[in-house]
């Protein structure tokens, strides 16, 4: 598994420290919370991204149009009708720029071109134009922390110590280095992908810094020329009509100028290194200056461009900082919620309450799967009721107030399909950490369009990653015919988000806040109210939904979505079947 920052720290120190008792939401959200107050407090605005559903798409794996076993831009264009029909408003495409492909596109050798593997710039322009016709916006991946070692900037930088681009990257002498001895790496900083973050360069006899793979040298964000060049990248894509950026690994931009060693944590990681807290290489305050700068650049363009950040902040306070004073990022991805990793009503309630009440009044951004994380079907499933749980998670993601971000195939119940043998692994961390760390191939397998052997993704025998055997059951074609499929649950919920004012614009207020099994909340505009009740346990739960406590009147429920189907005839008194999810109007 690819660990997030909070997961690493939590796992390492869990055994040693007692976790602080979490504040009772019931206490925090006093019973005097009125609808009027909640509506007043909620951040609103006309910007498109407040009401959008974002869909992350891994271009290698979505649709192959030229039958080389790898997805491409024309393939994506050919599936825009599918996305439109599903109810998607924006797609975030992970990097499709020229790249040696060590980190499958996250090692970029040219920021302002399209990798021929995926097509041409004309294909890209066509994709933007066709998407626009269907009201779908395109969000690009902005990989800001590092380039590929094959980028011409780095090739120049490493060519000599006095090259004008030397200082575009982070170079340092070794500890105890002499004219003949390279000494030791400058300090103990570690790569996220294992081992030292310093790589010796024989030609110019210095170490360069790489937070990720050796082939991904970090840009030096203390150099104004780097700012200028990277701002130019934003301009380039904005002028081609994109709607914003997802900013990669943004908390990693700066390192401690004093080069202090990072503190060790107990235990070892999958690569055999001592666990470490990235105290001096992560989340330095200067990150926020860069975010403000990025925002200024994109805000020159019309259409309310959006910025999404990947920064797996360890708590809501750190996450909140990403909003700045409404002058940084509009949608910081909420890794706390994504990583709950257990069906726990109290935990979800606490985290949703925290983000809903963030002090910046920022818009929440939820997701449960992405290209770095095992898919939610496996992480939240109990092995027996995974399909039912997948629908419950869909309800949580698509009815909560905020901007949901889906990952391709989650609408089908695609599961993680790890390589069976180390020889088959693509992702380098899977080779280095096998078998503890199998890499991220498992969550990047081809989209499952139909039940044919190649799943409608390609016609070649051997696509870049194998088609999961489960694709014969979990695929678009088969599931669209089954009214009770995961796919049809998503479709229905996505449509409700658009058509029901309470789900579109309503404030969110928790109810039954002490229930340990059922997470329930009301979305309300004042005029219209919808209750969402999620039984996160494998047992039936009797519950009296207490919407009166927050001032909502009404005695009857009119279900809009229910899985499984069960009786709601007795109004606020319900018996929820195991893992049931209900969305109902209060009338
Ligand atoms: C981000 C990406 C991940 C990549 C890393 C280095 O975490 O999501 O896929 O490997 O950055 O670019």
């Amino acid at each position: 598994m690819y660990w997030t920052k909070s997961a690493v720290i939590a796992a390492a120190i869990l055994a040693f420290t007692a976790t602080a008792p979490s504040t009772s939401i019931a206490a925090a959200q006093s019973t005097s919370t009125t609808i009027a107050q909640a509506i007043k407090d909620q951040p609103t605005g006309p910007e498109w991204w407040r009401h959008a559903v974002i869909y992350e798409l891994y271009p290698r794996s979505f649709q192959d149009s030229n039958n080389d076993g790898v997805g491409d831009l024309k393939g994506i264009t050919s599936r825009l009708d599918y996305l439109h029909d599903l109810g998607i408003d924006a797609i975030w495409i992970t990097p499709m720029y020229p790249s040696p492909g060590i980190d499958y596109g996250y090692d970029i050798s040219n920021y302002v071109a399209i990798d021929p593997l995926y097509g041409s710039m004309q294909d890209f322009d066509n994709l933007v134009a066709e998407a626009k016709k269907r009201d779908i916006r395109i969000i690009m991946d902005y990989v800001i922390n590092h380039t590929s070692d094959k980028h011409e900037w780095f090739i120049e930088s490493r060519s000599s110590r006095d090259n004008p681009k030397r200082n575009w990257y982070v170079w340092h002498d070794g500890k105890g280095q002499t004219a003949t001895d390279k000494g030791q790496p400058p300090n103990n900083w570690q790569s996220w992908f294992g081992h030292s973050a310093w790589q010796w360069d024989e030609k110019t006899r210095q170490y360069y810094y790489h937070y990720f793979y050796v082939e991904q040298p970090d840009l030096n964000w203390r150099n104004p020329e780097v700012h200028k060049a990277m701002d130019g990248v934003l301009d380039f894509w904005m002028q081609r009509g994109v709607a914003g950026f997802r900013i990669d690994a943004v908390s990693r931009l700066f390192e401690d100028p004093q080069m202090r060693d990072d503190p060790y944590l107990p235990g070892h990681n999958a690569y055999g290194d001592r666990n470490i807290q990235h105290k001096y290489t992560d989340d330095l305050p200067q990150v926020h200056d860069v975010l403000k700068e990025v925002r200024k650049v994109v805000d020159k363009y019309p259409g309310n461009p959006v910025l999404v950040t990947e920064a797996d902040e360890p708590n809501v306070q750190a996450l909140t900082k990403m909003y700045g004073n409404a002058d940084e990022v509009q949608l910081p991805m909420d890794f706390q919620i994504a990583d709950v990793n257990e069906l726990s009503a109290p935990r979800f309630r606490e985290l949703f309450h925290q983000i809903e009440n963030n002090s910046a009044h920022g818009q929440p951004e939820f997701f449960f799967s992405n290209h770095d994380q095992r898919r939610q079907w496996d992480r939240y499933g109990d092995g027996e009721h995974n399909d039912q749980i997948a629908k419950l998670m869909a309800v949580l993601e698509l009815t909560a107030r905020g901007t949901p971000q889906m990952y391709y195939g989650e609408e089908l119940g695609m599961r993680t399909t790890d390589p069976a043998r180390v020889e088959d692994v693509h992702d380098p961390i899977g080779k280095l950490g096998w078998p503890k760390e199998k890499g991220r191939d498992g969550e990047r397998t081809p989209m499952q369009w139909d039940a044919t052997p190649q799943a409608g993704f390609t016609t070649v025998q051997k696509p870049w990653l194998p088609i999961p055997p489960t694709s014969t059951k979990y695929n678009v074609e088969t599931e669209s015919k089954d009214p009770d499929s995961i796919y049809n649950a998503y479709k229905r919920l996505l449509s409700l988000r658009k058509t029901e004012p309470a789900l579109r614009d309503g404030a969110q207020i928790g109810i039954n806040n002490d229930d340990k099994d059922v997470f329930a909340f009301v979305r309300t505009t004042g005029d219209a109210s919808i209750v969402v009740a999620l039984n996160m346990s494998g047992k039936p739960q009797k519950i009296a939904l207490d919407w009166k406590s927050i001032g909502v009147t009404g005695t009857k429920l009119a279900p809009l979505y229910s899985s499984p189907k069960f009786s709601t005839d007795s109004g606020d008194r319900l018996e929820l079947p195991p893992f049931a999810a209900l969305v109902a109007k209060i009338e």
Side-chain angles (χ1 to χ4, degrees):
M1 108 165 226
Y2 178 87
W3 291 81
T4 57
K5 187 159 63 193
S6 39
V8 169
I9 298 176
I13 56 184
L14 196 68
F16 290 78
T17 47
T19 31
S22 55
T23 13
S24 147
I25 304 305
Q29 178 195 297
S30 81
T31 45
S32 66
T33 303
T34 61
I35 306 173
Q37 189 64 38
I39 293 172
K40 193 168 142 274
D41 286 350
Q42 76 165 338
T44 50
E47 300 90 348
W48 64 271
W49 44 261
R50 289 189 190 276
H51 298 113
V53 175
I54 300 174
Y55 187 93
E56 179 193 353
L57 187 158
Y58 200 68
R60 276 187 104 83
S61 294
F62 198 59
Q63 178 67 59
D64 179 13
S65 76
N66 60 351
N67 296 315
D68 59 359
V70 174
D72 47 48
L73 294 181
K74 278 190 178 146
I76 299 173
T77 308
S78 73
R79 294 297 188 178
L80 286 171
D81 284 337
Y82 167 79
L83 295 170
H84 177 69
D85 186 50
L86 182 62
I88 299 304
D89 305 288
I91 50 179
W92 149 33
I93 312 179
T94 62
M96 70 281 211
Y97 318 101
S99 159
I102 301 290
D103 194 12
Y104 288 86
Y106 282 94
D107 47 327
I108 297 172
S109 52
N110 181 355
Y111 285 93
V112 290
I114 295 290
D115 194 316
L117 189 64
Y118 300 122
S120 62
M121 196 56 88
Q122 204 184 337
D123 296 335
F124 178 79
D125 290 341
N126 189 41
L127 168 63
V128 177
E130 288 299 317
K132 192 165 181 204
K133 285 187 197 157
R134 294 161 179 86
D135 276 331
I136 295 178
R137 292 171 162 87
I138 311 282
I139 298 175
M140 303 293 275
D141 216 312
Y142 183 47
V143 184
I144 186 170
N145 177 67
H146 48 268
T147 68
S148 158
D149 62 347
K150 300 294 180 297
H151 195 295
E152 62 176 34
W153 300 340
F154 189 70
I155 294 175
E156 282 193 44
S157 183
R158 80 188 312 178
S159 65
S160 72
R161 284 205 188 192
D162 54 9
N163 183 278
K165 294 219 165 48
R166 182 67 171 181
N167 203 22
W168 281 43
Y169 293 84
V170 183
W171 291 96
H172 217 277
D173 288 338
K175 220 190 260 173
Q177 183 177 332
T178 65
T180 51
D181 183 354
K182 66 180 182 184
Q184 294 299 312
N187 59 20
N188 76 346
W189 293 349
Q190 254 177 41
S191 161
W192 194 254
F193 290 153
H195 307 337
S196 172
W198 295 101
Q199 175 70 13
W200 175 251
D201 184 60
E202 187 55 37
K203 182 160 182 228
T204 54
R205 299 196 54 80
Q206 268 191 319
Y207 288 85
Y208 69 83
Y209 176 71
H210 58 94
Y211 193 98
F212 294 97
Y213 290 123
V214 171
E215 296 85 351
Q216 293 171 301
D218 273 46
L219 282 163
N220 175 11
W221 276 91
R222 297 189 193 273
N223 182 340
E225 288 176 30
V226 167
H227 287 241
K228 213 166 141 214
M230 290 302 284
D231 289 353
V233 171
L234 297 169
D235 281 320
F236 180 89
W237 293 107
M238 287 306 301
Q239 283 160 15
R240 295 202 101 87
V242 308
F245 298 87
R246 172 266 189 189
I247 315 176
D248 184 67
V250 73
S251 60
R252 278 73 196 222
L253 296 192
F254 290 90
E255 300 79 39
D256 178 33
Q258 294 177 48
M259 308 274 295
R260 281 169 281 189
D261 274 352
D262 273 333
Y264 286 110
L265 295 169
H268 289 80
N269 63 21
Y271 319 109
D273 309 314
R274 287 179 71 182
N275 281 326
I276 211 165
Q277 183 194 351
H278 293 261
K279 181 170 174 185
Y280 295 115
T281 54
D282 200 0
D283 260 335
L284 268 65
Q286 292 81 354
V287 164
H288 297 281
D289 302 333
V290 174
L291 288 176
K292 287 191 178 69
E293 178 179 328
V294 172
R295 178 71 180 269
K296 270 205 188 120
V297 177
V298 299
D299 271 356
K300 292 186 307 201
Y301 297 89
N304 290 310
V306 73
L307 297 177
V308 179
T309 33
E310 185 207 29
D312 53 340
E313 298 303 349
N315 53 49
V316 72
Q317 288 77 15
L319 178 71
T320 301
K321 284 195 197 149
M322 295 284 156
Y323 295 109
N325 196 6
D327 54 357
E328 294 186 29
V329 171
Q330 298 97 330
L331 300 177
M333 291 165 71
D334 190 329
F335 278 81
Q336 293 287 293
I337 287 179
D339 279 340
V340 167
N341 289 339
E342 55 169 330
L343 275 187
S344 161
R347 190 73 188 123
F348 278 120
R349 181 181 296 125
E350 179 181 23
L351 291 173
F352 273 87
H353 180 79
Q354 283 180 1
I355 190 68
E356 191 55 25
N357 293 284
N358 71 78
S359 57
H361 300 288
Q363 169 91 350
E365 212 257 28
F366 314 120
F367 67 102
F368 291 111
S369 291
N370 73 20
H371 65 285
D372 291 327
Q373 216 175 13
R374 302 184 72 69
R375 284 181 175 269
Q376 69 207 53
W377 192 90
D378 322 72
R379 282 187 301 124
Y380 289 95
D382 66 349
E384 215 181 300
H385 307 91
N386 287 23
D387 289 5
Q388 177 56 37
I389 292 171
K391 292 177 209 164
L392 173 124
M393 295 305 286
V395 174
L396 178 58
E397 184 179 53
L398 298 176
T399 60
R401 204 192 67 76
T403 303
Q405 181 184 290
M406 293 169 54
Y407 183 48
Y408 79 96
E410 81 169 65
E411 72 275 25
L412 307 175
M414 271 178 71
R415 67 188 67 175
T416 317
T417 308
D418 284 326
R421 310 174 311 166
V422 63
E423 304 88 278
D424 301 331
V425 174
H426 284 67
D427 187 13
I429 53 170
K431 293 183 190 143
L432 185 68
W434 188 271
K436 266 197 202 159
E437 166 65 74
K438 294 189 171 160
R440 296 163 292 177
D441 296 355
E443 54 262 33
R444 298 173 177 179
T445 55
M447 175 71 174
Q448 298 166 187
W449 296 104
D450 60 35
T452 62
Q454 309 311 332
F457 166 70
T458 184
T459 55
V460 293
Q461 277 297 319
K462 257 184 102 138
W464 83 282
L465 282 178
I467 308 286
T470 48
S471 65
T472 50
K473 180 170 167 210
Y474 296 88
N475 65 68
V476 175
E477 203 185 357
T478 309
E479 289 190 52
S480 42
K481 293 181 198 139
D482 171 5
D484 200 31
S485 65
I486 299 173
Y487 167 77
N488 273 319
Y490 270 88
K491 241 187 122 172
R492 171 89 182 124
L493 291 161
L494 283 160
S495 141
L496 287 174
R497 274 184 76 83
K498 290 208 161 65
T499 50
E500 288 298 329
L503 290 182
R504 196 182 143 78
D505 293 312
Q508 176 165 337
I509 315 172
I511 57 170
N512 297 71
N513 289 318
D514 289 324
D515 196 299
K516 66 177 191 12
D517 296 304
V518 180
F519 178 30
F521 55 88
V522 172
R523 298 285 315 274
T524 178
T525 58
D527 296 332
S529 299
I530 286 176
V531 67
V532 177
L534 304 164
N535 179 2
M536 298 203 162
S537 80
K539 299 208 173 96
Q541 297 294 335
K542 287 202 170 112
I543 186 168
L545 290 172
D546 192 11
W547 57 72
K548 288 187 195 70
S549 66
I550 57 164
V552 173
T553 52
T555 50
K556 279 204 312 225
L557 285 180
L560 297 166
Y561 173 84
S562 160
S563 163
K565 298 259 179 293
F566 61 95
S567 167
T568 53
D569 291 349
S570 45
D572 55 3
R573 283 171 198 280
L574 297 179
E575 178 159 336
L576 293 165
F579 303 117
L582 172 73
V583 185
K585 271 189 185 169
I586 307 172
E587 293 179 332

